[in-house]
Amino acid sequence: MKKVFIPIIAAAVILAGCEKNPAEVTEASETAEAAAQVSETTEAAESTSVLTTSVTLETESEVSETAETEPPYIEDGKPPVVMAAEELYDTYPVKIIYPERQEVPDKVKTEVLQEDILNSDGLVISKFYAEYPVLFGCDDTVCEKINGEIHDYIYGALEDERKAVEEYNAKGWDLEYSRENGLPAERTVNMDGTTFDGFGYDVNGNIFTVYFADYSYGMVDLHGFEHPVPMMFDLRTGDKIIFSELVDNKNKMHEVFAATERRGELLHGTVPFGERSADEMQDIFALGLREDDVLFKDERIIAMDGCIGFILGPSESGSYADGVRFWRLPASEFVPYMNDEGKALFEGYVSAETTAPKVIEYKGKRWFDNVEWIPEIIDRKNLTDYDREFILMFEKAWNADYYLSQE
């Protein structure tokens, strides 16, 4: 399979990423507001794009009438056309081909811990529930170290919730107040995610990875909040992996992480979603790195499904509505910039690969087919056969049902 690289990585980005399901080759996930920030920084560049329009001054009433009567698209009566991205553009957000995830029931089992935490009157203040992996199919010392680290996190979360209930009880709130505020509260730790489609655990080469979604609702987070907690372990030693300790060329590694971030922003779209055409993305590719491009935090970095990337929680580099996002690209893009320790660790790690997306041309514009949102260029209440064909070309778009459900 030919790997597709974005030539501007030396100055800007390689755009690539991964998904939870290794059998799929498109990704859904990143942040709308982060993309909006890119939009703000590139306003001047976009104003000179080839997709310019003339503007005629109108009165306020004329503008309002036009907005109500004219749809936001160009109806040319032509069907959507699919083209090869590499024949049209030098830069594009690649698709990912994932390695098959190893099934290891003989090495890992899942255990459950749950407890109802009561006040002095016997009222359930919080319900704690946790699912976590236990490793048993490796060297005893290695298993003990990894299981100990996971055990400490899970039981530490339970102890934190007990203390939160004690503080709640100390305030002397009565039963009526408790009911009005939605008690019992909840604290759930699992590997699947609550507001995000999680990853479970992954064994690949020398690396054992676990994704924990730590979700709280009630006493502390009244609207519910999912805190992502990725963990990586060295199966040779049992040590927890600290990614920053594996880096040799920090500048190049920064560029690769920036590439992951930029790809996520572009595939997610702008506000409103789906406004970034393939041509408009070219202006962003040309910008190069931004000073605030990367959230390079060890507690956010994870290797999963042949990829390396970093996870963002709700409201982190985005809005609460963005939820949890995972920005990623094939592990092979990172390895060249690791030190000897990192290269040895990832020896035998099966990396994902990249392939070019398709370009869909419809109603006078072009879009990459791996964006997360159907572009808002169609009238959902009056879909044509060509519109339906267009919608179904975006295999991973989150809002396809929004259009098709009107029929």
Side-chain angles (χ1 to χ4, degrees):
M1 176 62 65
K2 177 183 177 182
K3 297 192 66 178
V4 180
F5 295 90
I6 306 305
I8 58 174
I9 183 172
V13 293
I14 293 176
L15 300 179
C18 297
E19 292 174 19
K20 175 178 181 288
N21 186 349
E24 298 170 346
V25 295
T26 56
E27 175 185 13
S29 128
E30 319 308 334
T31 171
E33 285 198 10
Q37 294 172 5
V38 176
S39 179
E40 292 174 2
T41 61
T42 62
E43 184 176 357
E46 291 183 350
S47 66
T48 59
S49 171
V50 295
L51 302 175
T52 59
T53 59
S54 60
V55 178
T56 302
L57 294 178
E58 300 174 337
T59 64
E60 182 175 349
S61 60
E62 289 173 333
V63 172
S64 176
E65 182 178 356
T66 299
E68 292 177 357
T69 59
E70 293 186 5
Y73 57 83
I74 301 172
E75 183 57 79
D76 56 12
K78 298 179 180 179
V81 178
V82 178
M83 298 170 286
E86 61 267 43
E87 295 179 3
L88 297 170
Y89 302 103
D90 292 329
T91 54
Y92 40 78
V94 297
K95 291 183 178 181
I96 299 299
I97 301 173
Y98 304 97
E100 183 176 356
R101 182 181 288 196
Q102 297 182 39
E103 299 294 334
V104 288
D106 58 332
K107 295 182 179 180
V108 183
K109 62 181 179 179
T110 300
E111 293 193 355
V112 172
L113 173 66
Q114 56 185 333
E115 178 178 316
D116 289 346
I117 307 174
L118 315 177
N119 68 0
S120 57
D121 297 323
L123 174 68
V124 178
I125 302 299
S126 180
K127 301 177 74 66
F128 182 88
Y129 179 88
E131 294 179 353
Y132 59 97
V134 176
L135 190 68
F136 62 91
C138 59
D139 177 83
D140 289 344
T141 301
V142 170
C143 287
E144 183 178 349
K145 289 179 70 174
I146 294 175
N147 292 335
E149 186 80 29
I150 293 174
H151 178 279
D152 289 347
Y153 174 73
I154 296 297
Y155 279 82
L158 173 59
E159 185 59 30
D160 288 344
E161 196 67 7
R162 288 171 178 166
K163 290 180 180 178
V165 170
E166 289 178 3
E167 294 176 0
Y168 181 90
N169 292 336
K171 296 183 180 189
W173 288 331
D174 57 22
L175 179 60
E176 182 178 354
Y177 181 94
S178 300
R179 287 174 175 168
E180 289 176 352
N181 284 272
L183 292 181
E186 298 177 7
R187 178 77 178 271
T188 301
V189 183
N190 61 35
M191 295 175 284
D192 298 323
T194 303
T195 60
F196 172 67
D197 192 11
F199 312 101
Y201 60 82
D202 187 24
V203 176
N204 191 335
N206 298 320
I207 300 173
F208 176 55
T209 303
V210 182
Y211 170 77
F212 283 125
D214 192 336
Y215 177 82
S216 297
Y217 172 83
M219 293 175 295
V220 178
D221 299 294
L222 296 179
H223 300 290
F225 188 91
E226 182 167 327
H227 180 61
V229 185
M231 295 183 181
M232 295 186 292
F233 299 95
D234 187 340
L235 287 171
R236 301 169 303 176
T237 64
D239 294 334
K240 192 172 182 179
I241 296 170
I242 308 300
F243 190 85
S244 61
E245 296 178 354
L246 308 178
V247 178
D248 181 31
N249 191 324
K250 293 184 178 180
N251 290 334
K252 287 294 185 180
M253 191 68 76
H254 176 94
E255 290 178 356
V256 180
F257 272 104
T260 310
E261 180 184 34
R262 187 65 55 83
R263 178 181 182 272
E265 291 176 345
L266 292 175
L267 293 186
H268 189 70
T270 60
V271 180
F273 299 126
E275 286 194 345
R276 288 270 184 229
S277 69
D279 292 307
E280 290 169 328
M281 286 187 188
Q282 304 309 303
D283 295 329
I284 300 174
F285 295 152
L287 286 177
L289 291 175
R290 298 167 301 176
E291 292 183 0
D292 61 345
D293 259 332
V294 177
L295 293 175
F296 198 145
K297 300 178 181 178
D298 281 314
E299 65 272 19
R300 287 288 185 264
I301 298 175
I302 185 172
M304 184 69 71
D305 291 332
C307 298
I308 294 174
F310 59 100
I311 297 175
L312 299 174
S315 301
E316 186 175 15
S317 189
S319 71
Y320 181 85
D322 287 323
V324 176
R325 289 138 290 147
F326 181 29
W327 293 346
R328 49 207 154 169
L329 58 94
S332 59
E333 306 295 348
F334 293 87
V335 173
Y337 311 121
M338 293 181 181
N339 54 29
D340 291 342
E341 180 183 352
K343 291 176 180 178
L345 175 64
F346 276 85
E347 185 176 352
Y349 188 89
V350 182
S351 176
E353 297 182 5
T354 62
T355 187
K358 299 295 185 181
V359 173
I360 304 171
E361 184 173 84
Y362 190 49
K363 296 185 185 294
K365 285 191 176 184
R366 294 171 176 173
W367 290 270
F368 295 117
D369 70 345
N370 55 339
V371 295
E372 295 182 13
W373 303 94
I374 304 296
E376 296 183 352
I377 62 163
I378 53 181
D379 182 353
R380 64 190 291 255
K381 295 182 179 180
N382 298 284
L383 294 181
T384 67
D385 289 341
Y386 289 158
D387 290 338
R388 296 183 190 92
E389 182 180 350
F390 177 70
I391 291 170
L392 294 174
M393 287 179 174
F394 297 89
E395 297 179 359
K396 282 300 174 181
W398 293 6
N399 60 337
D401 289 343
Y402 169 78
Y403 290 100
L404 298 176
S405 62
Q406 292 300 300
E407 300 186 273

